[in-house]
Amino acid sequence: MGGKQKTLAILAGTALAVGLTSPAFGFTTAHSPALRTTARGSGVSVVEWNHELITILSDPKAQPSTVQPTRSFALLQAAEYDAVVSITGAGPAYVFSVSAPGGARADAAADQAAHDVLVALYPAKRAGVDQRLSSQLSAIPGGPGKQAGIGVGAEVARRLISLRSHDGSSAKPPRFDPGDKAGDYRPTPPDFPAPVFTNWGSVKPFVLTGGRQFRPAAPPAVSGAAYATALNEVKSLGSKTSTTRTADQTAAAKFWAAAPVWSVWNQVAQGLVTSQNASLEKAVKVFARLDLSLADTAIAMYDAKYADRVWRPVTAIRLGGTHYNSSIVGDPHWTPLLPTAPDPSYPGAHGALSQAAATTLAGFYGARHHLAVTSKGVTRTFAGFQDAATEAWLSRIWSGQHTSLDNRAGQQLGTQVGDFVARHL
């Protein structure tokens, strides 16, 4: 990426991705002022639980392929956040504020809440999660305060899991019927996989009022000049055999595709919290706002994808010979640098999710925060969160996945969701 600067890596390890109490939920109870105490413990434990979830998700069999992983991150971080603020009163609850006796340990509450959410989501991983809890709680002195904190965390997790048990995430996705008109999405080569998240846009959001709240405007017609310009850019830069893509663009394309983008941004947050020795209160707020934004962006993104059902560049280029656009010359053998994801093109996922993450983290740490992002042993450096997010979405042009039209719609969506979530937490 042009202009990248060498800087101290704030991301340790290898990266694999709020609101005010909502009247729609209505499961809160008031704090007693006596309960508002300072949380003991640092943000390190929050980072470790976040890392635990990424480790669990590295097993492709950990959960059904029809469940979007951003939901799990949101549940984990929302539970830790509400467990802590139930005791400290350091901010508004996301959903639940439960009663706690004076002296209750907020760090114990966060640990127990995290444990109980992960066990509920991934019962087959209980042994490792139990071990993590034992390690975390062993560092907290025993006594009534510790036990009270454990009780608060358990209650918050129980309520949150119960609340989200009917959010639509377990519904069987409807069968997708591909269209046959110019611009209609259809499965892509080489394996032509069926779309998976066809119903995710109807899952109940965590903070948004609905999946279509910030739905982007309909994309330009595939017969028009704007689409031809955008597609021809991908045809040149995104081809597996491109002679116009630079070596650094190729590296960036592979970098941002090496791991789930939501996990990459969670690892960025891990590095920020760790390097700045964030307090427990700060850490739970950073991760809650980040992961609620990512989860709701995913819901909104899939809502838009299946509302417009735009075909992928590989389909558009290979069918260019059907003359749906006189400014596009087809190539039936065109192949993208990287395999195409099995869902419609508009809006772009990397653009939406990375923009939501960058918007969120810039709100905490400032726009021009130098960072290094590491994935699969490769590190790329950036002068700010926006620079990283911009490269993430540009990488999808360079890999042949998306047009700039997809990416701009994704950027707009991610910004809107990130800003909305920030106003509510």
Side-chain angles (χ1 to χ4, degrees), residues 76-91:
L76 171 67
Q77 305 307 161
E80 287 192 87
Y81 174 84
D82 271 0
V84 169
V85 299
S86 287
I87 293 171
T88 66

Side-chain angles (χ1 to χ4, degrees), residues 147-174:
Q147 292 307 310
I150 289 172
V152 168
E155 178 64 11
V156 166
R158 184 190 67 77
R159 291 190 185 188
L160 186 58
I161 289 294
S162 176
L163 176 67
R164 297 297 305 189
S165 63
H166 301 292
D167 61 6
S169 60
S170 61
K172 182 179 179 181

Side-chain angles (χ1 to χ4, degrees), residues 44-137:
V44 172
S45 64
V46 184
V47 169
E48 291 178 348
W49 283 112
N50 188 269
H51 178 74
E52 184 76 17
L53 175 54
I54 291 176
T55 300
I56 289 171
L57 290 171
S58 67
D59 176 0
K61 298 180 180 179
Q63 68 182 23
S65 61
T66 56
V67 176
Q68 228 289 330
T70 52
R71 176 180 183 268
S72 300
F73 283 99
L75 286 169
L76 171 67
Q77 305 307 161
E80 287 192 87
Y81 174 84
D82 271 0
V84 169
V85 299
S86 287
I87 293 171
T88 66
Y94 160 59
V95 181
F96 300 113
S97 179
V98 303
S99 297
R105 296 279 306 221
D107 46 2
D111 289 334
Q112 190 68 48
H115 167 274
D116 290 4
V117 166
L118 293 184
V119 167
L121 294 176
Y122 307 103
K125 302 293 184 180
R126 177 159 199 151
V129 177
D130 284 351
Q131 185 176 10
R132 170 69 66 188
L133 179 64
S134 177
S135 175
Q136 299 289 83
L137 291 180

Side-chain angles (χ1 to χ4, degrees), residues 178-262:
D180 57 5
K181 297 182 178 63
D184 288 349
Y185 175 75
R186 60 211 69 182
T188 53
D191 298 325
F192 301 93
V196 177
F197 296 111
T198 52
N199 69 323
W200 203 257
S202 62
V203 169
K204 182 179 179 62
F206 285 83
V207 183
L208 299 185
T209 58
R212 63 182 301 164
Q213 182 175 346
F214 295 117
R215 183 185 290 177
V222 298
S223 58
Y227 186 77
T229 298
L231 186 68
N232 284 329
E233 179 184 36
V234 181
K235 183 181 177 184
S236 174
L237 290 172
S239 169
K240 190 170 186 176
T241 58
S242 173
T243 58
T244 56
R245 185 180 58 243
T246 68
D248 189 62
Q249 289 170 343
T250 300
K254 293 179 178 179
F255 176 88
W256 287 102
V261 69
W262 50 83

